[in-house]
């Protein structure tokens, strides 16, 4: 069963009447590309890992149990074959049409850029950027995924993904950019996120524009403030919109 056509028509009207849309998205945007939320634990999980996903993807765990961190990271957080879905593609089209000003994402998969989005604020970093902690040399995703165990630089230093781990702060420049885009938007579309991961989720409080749209399968903390609430798959919803 598809999305409610009355709500799709309302979303179309909002988009048609908007001049400065900002999209704020999370893991649900990528699930339709076959990337599960790394926090979703499957039945085999406890047989493979002794710690919770949140524990493994933390700064202290990376420091003191680097080998186990990378075992999980390569297994659960890198999906090299994933392709952009209808949501990523439509957002890129909206940007190209001058309707959408920025994508602010909590995802680290780079699929927005792969779809053609130019102005993307990656609050939690990207698996496609990796740096030596000693000499700061850059390494791409292939270097990480092809490495045996823990990846090291040619200088001998440890290579760390440019991903914001638990216990780490978001980059100030990303926070500033997100606040600027959100506070200047006339329409904010929140999609594929339950708004439970802070401080990223707290950024939406800076929105004071005309229309707040929430598209998410589960309830969010912004549902009550939404001018339009659609409980459906974001790819199906945005895929129905014409630019």
């Amino acid at each position: 069963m598809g999305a409610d056509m009355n709500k799709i028509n309302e979303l179309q009207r909002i988009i048609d009447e908007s001049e400065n849309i900002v999209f704020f998205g999370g893991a649900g945007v990528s699930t339709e590309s076959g990337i599960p939320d790394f926090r979703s634990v499957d039945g085999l999980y406890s047989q493979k890992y002794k710690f919770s996903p949140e524990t493994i993807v933390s700064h202290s765990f990376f420091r003191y149990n680097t080998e186990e961190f990378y075992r999980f990271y390569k297994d659960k957080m890198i999906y090299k074959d994933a392709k952009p879905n209808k949501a990523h593609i439509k957002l890129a089209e909206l940007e190209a049409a001058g309707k959408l000003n920025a994508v602010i994402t909590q995802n680290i998969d780079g699929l927005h850029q792969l779809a053609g989005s130019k102005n993307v604020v990656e609050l939690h970093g990207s698996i496609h950027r990796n740096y030596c902690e000693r000499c700061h040399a850059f390494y791409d995703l292939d270097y990480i995924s092809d490495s045996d165990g823990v990846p090291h630089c040619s200088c001998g230093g440890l290579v760390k993904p440019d991903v914001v781990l638990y216990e780490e702060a978001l980059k100030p420049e990303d926070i500033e950019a997100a606040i600027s885009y959100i506070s200047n938007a006339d329409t904010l579309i929140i999609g594929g996120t339950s708004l439970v991961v802070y401080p990223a989720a707290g950024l939406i409080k800076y929105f004071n524009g005309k229309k707040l749209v929430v598209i998410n399968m589960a309830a969010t903390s912004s549902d009550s403030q939404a001018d339009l609430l659609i409980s459906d798959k974001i790819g199906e919803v945005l895929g129905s919109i014409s630019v």
Side-chain angles (χ1 to χ4, degrees), residues 33 60 64 73 122 134 141 147 166 176 200 202 234:
S33 292
S60 51
Y64 300 113
Y73 183 79
E122 295 174 307
R134 185 183 295 170
L141 180 58
S147 65
Y166 287 100
E176 288 171 19
I234 188 159

Side-chain angles (χ1 to χ4, degrees), residues 41-139:
V41 174
D42 57 49
L44 295 172
Y45 183 87
S46 59
Q47 293 178 31
K48 291 177 73 175
Y49 302 101
K50 298 187 181 76
F51 304 91
S52 72
E54 288 87 353
T55 298
I56 297 174
V57 188
S58 68
H59 178 83
S60 51
F61 196 91
F62 175 80
R63 279 281 158 259
Y64 300 113
N65 207 333
T66 313
E67 195 165 335
E68 184 69 356
F69 168 88
Y70 265 114
R71 187 166 79 92
F72 176 88
Y73 183 79
K74 293 177 187 180
D75 181 36
K76 295 287 186 184
M77 298 181 73
I78 295 177
Y79 290 86
K80 288 171 69 173
D81 296 330
K83 300 285 190 291
N85 61 52
K86 287 184 279 189
H88 298 106
I89 292 164
K90 189 63 66 176
L91 290 167
E93 291 174 355
L94 285 167
E95 183 186 45
K99 283 280 183 184
L100 184 130
N101 232 15
V103 168
I104 300 166
T105 182
Q106 299 172 84
N107 298 336
I108 59 174
D109 49 48
L111 290 180
H112 285 293
Q113 291 92 329
L114 200 57
S117 288
K118 302 282 190 286
N119 206 8
V120 182
V121 179
E122 295 174 307
L123 293 174
H124 294 154
S126 172
I127 60 172
H128 296 280
R129 297 187 301 270
N130 307 276
Y131 297 97
C132 171
E133 292 193 313
R134 185 183 295 170
C135 74
H136 308 297
F138 170 85
Y139 288 93

